[in-house]
Structure formats: C-alpha cells, structure tokens
Amino acid sequence: MSHETTAPGALRGWLDALAVVLAGGLSMVVVAALGLWLAGASQLPGSAFAPVVAATVVMAVGGRTELSGGAGFIAGADAGITLVPLSVSLVGALVMAAVFLRPLRFRAVTSGAELIGRFARTAVLWLIALVLIALAARHTFTISVGNSLVDQLGSLLGTTPSVGFRATYPATIGFGLLWLLVVLALAFTVSRRAPLPTRLVHLEPSVRPAARVTVMVLLAYTAIGLIAAIVTAATGAGGAAADSGDIFAVVFLGLPNLVWLAFGLGLGATWDGSVKGGIGLPMPEALASVLRTTGKGDVPLNLNSLSQYDGRVWLLPILAGIALLAAGFVKARRSPPGVGHPRNALHLALAMAVAMLVVGLLTGVHAHYGLSLFGIGDASESGGLGGAVSLHCHLLTAVPIAAGWGALAGFIGSVLASWTTKHR
C-alpha cells in the first residue's frame, strides 16, 4: 500500500520539477533569442545564432564561456567576456520561481524533507539542462580585421583570423546550480504564499518583509526602465542613436544591468570603468561619454562624472530616496506590531546592503578582443586592432552607503507607518 501511494507522489514531484526546468529554460532562450535577433546577431556568419543564444543563457546563469582564435603565422587573436545579461536572468528567475511555488501556494507550512526533495529533483533536471545548453554553446567563425588587403591575403593563404567560443562545463554547472539555489531560496524568502518549514517560521517576521520590499524596489526600477525604453523608442527622444531595434535589444538582454546601475548611482555608489578601441556596449550617451577614454586606466563613474554630460542624473538620488522611503513604509506596515522603529531600520539596512552587494557584482563587465598582424600589435591588449570595455563597482564603499540609506529610510518609513496607523 505504501509503494502504491508514494509512487504517484514521486512521479508528480518529478513532473513538477520538469515543469520548472522547461518553463525557466525556454523563457530564457526566448528572451535571449529576441534580444540577440534585435541586435543583429541573426546575421552572424556560419549559422552562429543558435550557439550564441546558448552562450547567452550560459552567461545569464553565471556560467563562463572561453573565447580563442588565431590565424596561423599571419595573425593572432584573443578575446574574452565576463557579463551577465540580467534581462535573461531575471525572466528565467521569475518564471522558475513562480512554477516552483505554484504547487505549494495553498499550504501554510511544509516539511524540510519535502522541500529538500523538491530542490533535489529540480536540481537534477536543471543539471541535465545545463549540460545540454553548454554543449550547444560552442562555435567558430571567421572575423575581418578591417583591412581589405590583409583580409584578401589571409583568405589566399588560408589564415583568415577566426574566433571560437565554448562554454566551460565546470563553471557552467557549478554556477548554474548555485544560481538555481539562490533563485529558489529567494523565492521562498520574498513570497507571501510560500510555506516555510516549521523550524524557520520564526524568521518570517524579521526576514520576509525586508526582503520582499527590496525585491520590489529592484523590480520597480526595471519597470520604470522598461517604460522609459518604450517611450524613447516611440518618440525618438534618444536622438539618431536611439534606434528602436537597439533599444529593445537592450531591453531583452540587459535592462536590469542599466537600471540597477542607476539605482546604485542614485545611492551614491561609484563604479570604475572604461571603453577603449573599437568595442562598446549599448548604453546611454552620458555613460558612454564618461567611460570612453584614450588613457590606459579606468575612470570613475558616479553622479559627479555623469553630471558633466547630463545634469538630469541628479534626479537619480531623488528617485532612490522616494523608492527607499516607500520601501521602508511598506516594510513597517507589513511587519508585526512588536517590531519597533530601530529594528525596522536595521532590517532594511541589512537588506539594502545585500542588494547593493548583489547589484555591484552582477553589473560588472569585462570584455576585450585583440588582433596582431605579422607581429604588429598585441593580441592580448586593446589597441588599434582591438578594444576593451570594463566596469566594476567599489563594493567597499557602496555596500555601507546602501546600508546607511536603508537604515534611514527604514526608520523614517516606520515612523510614518506608525503615525498613519494612529491617525486613521
């Protein structure tokens, strides 16, 4: 009797896990494909579109791709990229979290053993999906050095420069599984309907409200960015460079990369970065103006440097302040009555510190390519025959700044929530 009752339950558990993996994986593939198609990747030589889509999904879950190339004795090539396309990541995370939590939405509590079983089944199927995606994320295609004579010579001698990429299995599997664990753990942390194991129920009043409003802030920034992108594409407000295809390519690939960067800048955080040579990423004009430099070092990216090109950036601290004040108010309203103003401030400070740490890490960028011809130039450097873009956050200052904002907003929001409750 026991086998008869548990077998259907086990099968249903595997089907639930399969639904999570299929829904999340397909949503990420679709978003990546749309973004790359709008960016013109469908015109890449050698049927490279599908492998590039797979590589984009790999990077979206934290995996790594290796790039290499060369052209015999005539030319050497070197390239590399570290970038998380956060639009793809965010859509996949939201879809997988929603599908994973759906069977549990009407339950108040659950057992730790059941949750571990659900996590384990989903992880096994996700591991298989990661391997398949990594297998598809490999391709080699030829490149042009921008000189017709050299291109013709390379073609005649059979030494046309080529660049290939492939996903690295250990990093893709390891970071991909970690990505899944973080996504599902965060889903249980912020969801109102997700049941917690009995031993963790006592953490709900102190953890869930702060985590929930923090996620709401990041999603609100994403929604505002999406509206701004649609308006810009419809009105042409971005000027000649604001091609609608490029705008929506950014939306489908890296919208959170830009709007969460704006969130951090509004808090007062600083990034260092540069754009050199013939390489670049779709980004606002002011941002590109600050980062593009002829020197060898990185330049600071903050409100002061951006304001030299666009004074509207001073609206970012106002937007950040409003968002955090609203978060502090909502957090206090949803917390139990016994949570006072100092604890509300502490909870939001910790949540903002974690959010800034995650934003700082995820918005980092490093990409480069280089070519050397007959020994002229350095394939590992960005020069006249190459380029590089880099961006990284000052986490040691950004995280405390975010914590301070969170503490202030949490305290003021708690006072306002208490005042409105008394005067209703």
Side-chain angles (χ1 to χ4, degrees):
M1 177 67 69
S2 175
H3 175 74
E4 292 178 357
T5 56
T6 58
L11 177 60
R12 184 170 184 175
W14 282 105
L15 291 176
D16 289 342
L18 181 61
V20 174
V21 173
L22 287 179
L26 288 176
S27 65
M28 296 174 80
V29 168
V30 170
V31 172
L34 284 172
L36 291 168
W37 175 73
L38 289 167
S42 59
Q43 300 177 8
L44 287 171
S47 303
F49 182 68
V52 170
V53 171
T56 303
V57 175
V58 165
M59 291 189 292
V61 298
R64 297 290 183 268
T65 56
E66 292 181 345
L67 296 93
S68 60
F73 69 93
I74 285 189
D78 177 72
I81 182 170
T82 302
L83 169 69
V84 181
L86 286 177
S87 292
V88 181
S89 303
L90 181 61
V91 170
L94 292 175
V95 171
M96 294 185 79
V99 178
F100 187 89
L101 295 177
R102 183 175 176 79
L104 305 172
R105 64 190 185 282
F106 296 122
R107 297 168 57 176
V109 294
T110 186
S111 67
E114 181 183 1
L115 282 184
I116 292 175
R118 288 183 175 274
F119 274 116
R121 286 188 289 267
T122 305
V124 169
L125 296 181
W126 182 238
L127 173 62
I128 297 173
L130 289 173
V131 172
L132 294 176
I133 295 171
L135 282 172
R138 57 172 57 214
H139 192 76
T140 300
F141 49 87
T142 59
I143 59 176
S144 171
V145 300
N147 184 301
S148 59
L149 178 60
V150 175
D151 287 339
Q152 293 174 13
L153 182 60
S155 179
L156 289 173
L157 297 178
T159 55
T160 301
S162 63
V163 171
F165 64 88
R166 66 182 182 89
T168 58
Y169 292 99
T172 300
I173 293 173
F175 285 109
L177 289 175
L178 177 62
W179 180 87
L180 175 70
L181 177 62
V182 171
V183 166
L184 297 184
L186 184 60
F188 271 89
T189 303
V190 303
S191 175
R192 292 182 180 180
R193 295 184 177 182
L196 292 174
T198 305
R199 294 181 179 180
L200 299 180
V201 170
H202 69 283
L203 297 176
E204 182 172 357
S206 59
V207 175
R208 271 189 168 173
R212 188 178 299 123
V213 296
T214 302
V215 172
M216 287 172 56
V217 168
L218 295 178
L219 291 179
Y221 264 80
T222 306
I224 293 172
L226 177 59
I227 294 171
I230 293 174
V231 171
T232 301
T235 62
D243 178 79
S244 60
D246 292 340
I247 291 173
F248 285 110
V250 173
V251 168
F252 281 105
L253 293 175
L255 180 62
N257 298 70
L258 292 177
V259 296
W260 294 353
L261 174 67
F263 171 65
L265 291 171
L267 296 181
T270 296
W271 275 254
D272 279 341
S274 62
V275 177
K276 304 173 184 177
I279 191 173
L281 294 175
M283 60 182 67
E285 184 177 350
L287 181 58
S289 299
V290 173
L291 295 180
R292 187 162 295 280
T293 173
T294 57
K296 292 185 178 181
D298 290 342
V299 295
L301 175 69
N302 51 37
L303 292 174
N304 287 329
S305 60
L306 282 169
S307 65
Q308 299 176 19
Y309 299 92
D310 192 341
R312 292 174 298 178
V313 298
W314 292 111
L315 295 174
L316 294 180
I318 298 175
L319 179 60
I322 294 173
L324 288 189
L325 188 59
F329 179 82
V330 173
K331 190 268 176 194
R333 290 295 299 268
R334 293 180 177 178
S335 296
V339 179
H341 303 327
R343 288 183 63 188
N344 278 323
L346 176 62
H347 294 165
L348 195 58
L350 293 175
M352 283 298 123
V354 173
M356 189 67 247
L357 176 63
V358 173
V359 167
L361 292 174
L362 293 181
T363 54
V365 177
H366 178 75
H368 76 276
Y369 78 91
L371 296 173
S372 63
L373 302 175
F374 299 105
I376 301 174
D378 188 346
S380 64
E381 298 290 338
S382 59
L385 299 177
V389 57
S390 66
L391 189 66
H392 57 273
C393 181
H394 286 189
L395 291 175
L396 291 180
T397 56
V399 171
I401 289 174
W405 274 80
L408 180 62
F411 187 86
I412 296 176
S414 181
V415 171
L416 290 175
S418 177
W419 184 82
T420 55
T421 300
K422 293 179 180 178
H423 291 79
R424 279 193 303 180

